Amino acid sequence: MKKLLYFLKDYKKESVIAPLFKMFEALFDLCVPLVVASMINRGICGGDKTYIYQMCLVLIALAILGIGCAICAQYFAAKAAVGFAAKLRHALFEKIQSLSFSQLDTQGTSELMNRMTSDVNQLQNGVNMALRLLLRSPFIVFGAMILAFTVQPQTAVVFVVVIPVLFVIVFGVIFATLPLYKSVQSNQDRVLLKTRENLSGVRVIRAFHKEADEVEQFCEANRTLKREQLFVGKISALMNPFTYVVVNLGVIAILSNGGARVNIGGMEQGDVVALVEYMSQILVELVKLANTIVLLSRALASGRRVADVMELEPSMKFAMDVPVESAGAADEMISFTHVDLTYEGAGDKALEDLTFSVKKGQTVGIIGGTGSGKSSLVQLIPRFYDATAGTVRVAGRDVKSYTKEELRDMVGIVLQKAVLFRGTIRDNLLWGNPNASDEKLWDALAVAQAKEIVEGKEAGLDEPVAQGGRNLSGGQKQRLAIARTLVKQAPILILDDSASALDYATDARLRTAIAGLAPKPTVLIVSQRAASILHADQIIVLDEGKIVGIGTHDTLVKDCDVYREIYESQFGSSTSENNGEGGASHE
């Protein structure tokens, strides 16, 4: 938690000025009862109207000075709190971006989103309130008690009794509610998770007519959150009646004792009013302090959650300096040597003992049943995940010897889910290469079979794209995602089932266009369609994370049962007898 205070280092001045002005404001507030007491004792009781007017002017001056100090304190506290939150949010986002896919999978999207939004906002409010009230409230409480003794020591003994009792009540309630607020925050995470799942999966929910079930599950999570919030709210609500009872008993004691002393001439009427006013100030400030501490306790809980993420060390370490040897010296562009992969928290291996190599310029197809590990295999090449055993090499070098920028520049990958970002088509394509000319963008669109999509738009390349590409169809998003990667012109091109929304004819034209690229990249095509990989230089067949066949279509259709089964399920058993020639005609 202390590490988070580092983000206040640029606001040291504001962090000192804000509480300083609050102290001045508190000092002016403490002077008010003394002025009122003097006005009553000398002005009202003595019939001195001039003195009354003078004291009224003093009270107005104190009010103006107090308001000025409060505004200054509020300004500097807000400036420090907002600046702190902005820097923390930026650092947290940067930290999340540095985490590996495994760590992101473990942490969970909803948890990280909650830390970026709700938890950082709680910390911002906590810093703001701490700078404004954390010193002011105790200063007024103890200042009022000290000044009460200067007014009338015998009657002020009531303060010595009341203040400790109030502290016990206030801090007793706070310590009772602290763990409950942590539980409330966890339940809030669950509600956020359920909300996010429903929003992202709304089409699936409606397709299976599960709206009622999802509403019930959300309501149950919401009821749990509501129940805990009401419970902790009821405990917190005990603070006000208990404190008011104690303070009112203190006021009664002051009036009783003070009234008796006024009657015998041992105390003036204004002094009684001053003591009552100080008791009221103590009540108000203790309630403020209690609310501040509750807010701070929630901020501390949020701070620990944020600190947990900030303290995470990226599990994937990249080389800091580019090695001396050339990346293009090897004849083999990609090679796997006895590679295993086990996901975090998974019991079984996703990939086991993979060994193969791919030469420069080759087109390699990767096929297998659902869950066979096709996507897991290609995600090891750009180091989205690290192999748990074995070695993955790119251009003759271990992928762990590359810097992140160097390795990712060598690999262009189109993932299974086509993701476009809010902006324009041009903005999305320039992700591949920020310096690409319009000519290169149109060339990439032509290869990706997306040229007609953009030409059909009124604004062309400047056509707006909604968040997530909602204003485009699935096939359009896939082709634009492929074009974005082609703009990059990386020596390795990975198509991870990225043509699943395309028809066979468009898919065939896409593969033909990619094969004609110059310079020719090394292409890996992950697909469940046998037609998409029939003419690949090499086909890798996966089954339950293991390689069960490597070769050309003709070889595999004869010798690999898994491949033959996939092929025949799509083209029929009669075509397999043609040893691939029939397959070409079907394409």
Side-chain angles (χ1 to χ4, degrees), residues 514-552:
I514 290 175
L517 286 173
K520 187 177 181 183
T522 302
V523 183
L524 279 75
I525 302 174
V526 175
S527 180
Q528 293 184 351
R529 295 177 179 177
S532 298
I533 60 171
L534 284 178
H535 299 292
D537 299 315
Q538 183 176 230
I539 299 172
I540 299 172
V541 186
L542 294 177
D543 185 38
E544 296 184 354
K546 299 178 182 178
I547 294 178
V548 294
I550 297 181
T552 62

Side-chain angles (χ1 to χ4, degrees), residues 256-335:
S256 176
N257 186 277
R261 289 184 179 277
V262 169
N263 285 333
I264 63 174
M267 189 175 180
E268 295 186 88
Q269 296 173 4
D271 296 340
V272 177
V273 173
L275 292 176
V276 171
E277 184 64 25
Y278 280 133
M279 184 63 73
S280 299
Q281 284 188 351
I282 288 173
L283 171 62
V284 171
E285 292 304 323
L286 278 176
V287 171
K288 284 183 183 178
L289 181 61
N291 292 331
T292 301
I293 293 175
V294 168
L295 186 62
L296 286 177
S297 67
R298 299 178 70 175
L300 288 170
S302 295
R304 280 189 285 271
R305 289 154 54 85
V306 172
D308 288 342
V309 178
M310 294 296 292
E311 290 170 0
L312 283 175
E313 287 296 327
S315 60
M316 192 175 289
K317 300 293 184 182
F318 285 85
M320 298 302 294
D321 299 311
V322 179
V324 177
E325 66 263 27
S326 170
D331 182 48
E332 291 182 347
M333 181 57 78
I334 301 167
S335 70

Side-chain angles (χ1 to χ4, degrees), residues 53-103:
Y53 294 145
Q54 290 174 349
M55 290 300 101
C56 285
L57 292 175
V58 171
L59 288 175
I60 292 171
L62 288 173
I64 293 172
L65 289 171
I67 291 172
C69 289
I71 291 172
C72 289
Q74 181 73 11
Y75 170 77
F76 287 109
K79 184 178 179 181
V82 172
F84 162 81
K87 287 181 177 293
L88 176 58
R89 195 177 288 111
H90 184 275
L92 184 59
F93 186 79
E94 187 176 356
K95 170 62 74 171
I96 291 172
Q97 289 295 320
S98 72
L99 299 178
S100 67
F101 278 25
S102 295
Q103 289 173 304

Side-chain angles (χ1 to χ4, degrees), residues 23-265:
M23 299 289 274
F24 286 139
E25 181 198 359
L27 191 60
F28 296 138
D29 286 348
L30 288 173
C31 292
V32 170
L34 297 178
V35 175
V36 172
S38 180
M39 182 190 298
I40 294 172
N41 293 338
R42 182 175 167 182
I44 296 176
C45 294
D48 190 345
K49 291 184 178 181
T50 303
Y51 188 77
I52 293 174
Y53 294 145
Q54 290 174 349
M55 290 300 101
C56 285
L57 292 175
V58 171
L59 288 175
I60 292 171
L62 288 173
I64 293 172
L65 289 171
I67 291 172
C69 289
I71 291 172
C72 289
Q74 181 73 11
Y75 170 77
F76 287 109
K79 184 178 179 181
V82 172
F84 162 81
K87 287 181 177 293
L88 176 58
R89 195 177 288 111
H90 184 275
L92 184 59
F93 186 79
E94 187 176 356
K95 170 62 74 171
I96 291 172
Q97 289 295 320
S98 72
L99 299 178
S100 67
F101 278 25
S102 295
Q103 289 173 304
L104 293 175
D105 295 340
T106 303
Q107 292 294 319
T109 305
S110 62
E111 292 265 344
L112 293 174
M113 286 177 62
N114 211 13
R115 283 158 172 73
M116 280 284 296
T117 53
S118 176
D119 287 330
V120 173
N121 286 339
Q122 290 278 12
L123 281 166
Q124 177 180 321
N125 293 334
V127 169
N128 194 356
M129 294 297 286
L131 292 177
R132 288 168 49 206
L133 297 177
L134 199 59
L135 292 179
R136 169 195 158 91
S137 294
F139 180 79
I140 283 191
V141 170
F142 291 106
M145 183 176 68
I146 292 169
L147 289 176
F149 274 94
T150 65
V151 173
Q152 223 297 325
Q154 289 80 7
T155 308
V157 173
V158 175
F159 287 81
V160 179
V161 177
V162 169
I163 289 176
V165 174
L166 288 174
F167 268 96
V168 169
I169 293 172
V170 169
F171 287 98
V173 172
I174 288 171
F175 287 123
T177 55
L178 271 177
L180 297 176
Y181 278 119
K182 294 178 186 177
S183 179
V184 166
Q185 197 72 16
S186 298
N187 280 298
Q188 188 174 334
D189 283 348
R190 282 191 280 274
V191 171
L192 179 64
L193 172 62
K194 199 65 192 171
T195 304
R196 183 180 177 277
E197 283 183 339
N198 275 268
L199 290 175
S200 60
V202 63
R203 289 177 173 81
V204 178
I205 292 169
R206 291 178 180 177
F208 285 89
H209 192 53
K210 289 288 185 180
E211 294 95 333
D213 294 340
E214 291 300 315
V215 168
E216 177 56 34
Q217 290 180 26
F218 176 81
C219 287
E220 178 57 34
N222 210 27
R223 280 193 295 267
T224 302
L225 177 60
K226 175 186 173 183
R227 188 166 53 248
E228 291 210 359
Q229 283 182 321
L230 285 174
F231 180 65
V232 69
K234 288 175 182 177
I235 296 176
S236 297
L238 295 174
M239 186 184 301
N240 281 357
F242 283 168
T243 52
Y244 274 102
V245 167
V246 173
V247 167
N248 284 319
L249 289 175
V251 170
I252 291 171
I254 290 172
L255 292 174
S256 176
N257 186 277
R261 289 184 179 277
V262 169
N263 285 333
I264 63 174

Side-chain angles (χ1 to χ4, degrees), residues 14 45 90 233 283 409 424 444-445 480 489 504 565:
E14 289 81 358
C45 294
H90 184 275
L283 171 62
D409 285 345
T424 63
L445 288 167
L480 289 174
Q489 294 184 322
Y504 281 93
E565 182 181 346

Side-chain angles (χ1 to χ4, degrees), residues 317-585:
K317 300 293 184 182
F318 285 85
M320 298 302 294
D321 299 311
V322 179
V324 177
E325 66 263 27
S326 170
D331 182 48
E332 291 182 347
M333 181 57 78
I334 301 167
S335 70
F336 279 52
T337 306
H338 301 296
V339 170
D340 292 352
L341 173 64
T342 304
Y343 288 112
E344 190 75 25
D348 298 329
K349 294 179 180 178
L351 299 173
E352 184 175 354
D353 198 26
L354 303 189
T355 299
F356 67 89
S357 62
V358 179
K359 293 184 178 179
K360 288 181 181 179
Q362 276 192 328
T363 298
V364 175
I366 302 173
I367 196 168
T370 302
S372 59
K374 304 184 294 297
S375 295
S376 298
L377 185 155
V378 296
Q379 288 183 11
L380 293 176
I381 298 169
R383 280 194 80 192
F384 291 161
Y385 294 91
D386 264 337
T388 48
T391 307
V392 179
R393 290 186 175 86
V394 170
R397 282 168 44 191
D398 191 330
V399 290
K400 295 180 181 179
S401 71
Y402 286 95
T403 64
K404 182 189 290 187
E405 293 75 14
E406 188 186 20
L407 179 60
R408 301 284 163 81
D409 285 345
M410 291 188 67
V411 181
I413 183 169
V414 186
L415 298 172
Q416 283 179 316
K417 183 179 179 181
V419 177
L420 298 178
F421 296 88
R422 183 179 178 182
T424 63
I425 292 175
R426 185 194 307 275
D427 294 336
N428 277 274
L429 294 180
L430 290 176
W431 275 57
N433 179 3
N435 301 315
S437 63
D438 282 6
E439 183 183 356
K440 288 186 177 180
L441 298 184
W442 284 110
D443 289 343
L445 288 167
V447 173
Q449 309 305 303
K451 189 174 182 180
E452 67 276 11
I453 298 173
V454 182
E455 288 177 337
K457 303 294 183 183
E458 185 177 346
L461 288 171
D462 296 313
E463 181 73 16
V465 176
Q467 181 182 356
R470 291 194 306 269
N471 57 337
L472 299 168
S473 68
Q476 289 174 332
K477 286 193 288 186
Q478 281 194 338
R479 282 180 279 175
L480 289 174
I482 292 169
R484 177 176 59 195
T485 303
L486 291 173
V487 170
K488 189 176 181 179
Q489 294 184 322
I492 298 173
L493 176 62
I494 300 173
L495 303 176
D496 185 4
D497 206 13
S498 54
S500 58
L502 306 184
D503 59 81
Y504 281 93
T506 305
D507 185 16
R509 290 197 300 270
L510 171 65
R511 286 183 281 108
T512 302
I514 290 175
L517 286 173
K520 187 177 181 183
T522 302
V523 183
L524 279 75
I525 302 174
V526 175
S527 180
Q528 293 184 351
R529 295 177 179 177
S532 298
I533 60 171
L534 284 178
H535 299 292
D537 299 315
Q538 183 176 230
I539 299 172
I540 299 172
V541 186
L542 294 177
D543 185 38
E544 296 184 354
K546 299 178 182 178
I547 294 178
V548 294
I550 297 181
T552 62
H553 165 73
D554 293 338
T555 303
L556 292 172
V557 82
K558 292 178 183 177
D559 302 333
C560 181
D561 294 338
V562 174
Y563 182 78
R564 188 186 311 112
E565 182 181 346
I566 295 172
Y567 180 76
E568 290 179 354
S569 69
Q570 297 175 15
F571 291 102
S573 58
S574 61
T575 59
S576 64
E577 297 172 0
N578 295 327
N579 293 334
E581 296 176 6
S585 65

